[in-house]
Amino acid sequence: MMADNKRSRIFIIPLFFSIVIMAAIFMFSLQNGVVSGSTSLNVTRVSARLIFYKFDSLPTELQNEIISELHFSVRKAAHFTLYALYGFNVFLTFSFFIKKLRFQMLAALCISVVYASFDEIHQHFIPGRTGSIFDVLIDTAGAVFGIIAGVMLLSVINYIKNKYIKEN
């Protein structure tokens, strides 16, 4: 009985992370176009330093060209990554309440797509920002990736658990 009670309460962990990620996404979406662009340019600059050997010693013109080329990819990678984490945690949350795997996956995907859509609609009303169906598609791809990672994690956990039960 104690194990069932503990298992039934552990859903709070992925639920908590889902809410934290939603809040982070919302906070990023509240940034106006100038602040958002500046934030992503700073992340792009850090990424360039990690990718290119002695980036800071390159000519300024080449640095600016590299940053210009990377900027779009970094922004879209941020969308993908946040929604991968979100989809993963939403899936894990639903895995505690829904028995069938396909319904767990479908519920997590629907919640992720709805939140991504609302996020883009919300951005439409922020100065210097626009809502983009392309971003919703990137967010959805990230969520699918996160959901698949969640399925794989639960599969490994169940495999180990079943193997341990058979051995004992």
Side-chain angles (χ1 to χ4, degrees), residues 35-99:
V35 174
S36 177
S38 176
T39 300
S40 62
L41 276 174
N42 289 335
V43 173
T44 303
R45 194 168 275 106
V46 169
S47 301
R49 287 185 180 116
L50 292 171
I51 296 169
F52 295 95
Y53 181 69
K54 294 187 177 183
F55 177 79
D56 290 325
S57 65
L58 295 174
T60 304
E61 187 177 293
L62 182 56
Q63 287 181 24
N64 291 338
E65 186 178 324
I66 289 169
I67 288 170
S68 178
E69 292 290 325
L70 280 178
H71 190 228
F72 178 81
S73 298
V74 167
R75 287 183 72 88
K76 300 314 164 190
H79 275 266
F80 185 91
T81 302
L82 280 171
Y83 276 90
L85 292 170
Y86 182 65
F88 176 82
N89 282 286
V90 171
F91 168 77
L92 291 181
T93 301
F94 279 123
S95 73
F96 287 93
F97 301 104
I98 300 173
K99 295 286 185 211

Side-chain angles (χ1 to χ4, degrees), residues 97-117:
F97 301 104
I98 300 173
K99 295 286 185 211
K100 292 192 181 267
L101 176 64
R102 69 177 154 219
F103 293 129
Q104 295 167 1
M105 294 170 64
L106 185 61
L109 180 62
C110 287
I111 293 293
S112 298
V113 170
V114 166
Y115 192 70
S117 299

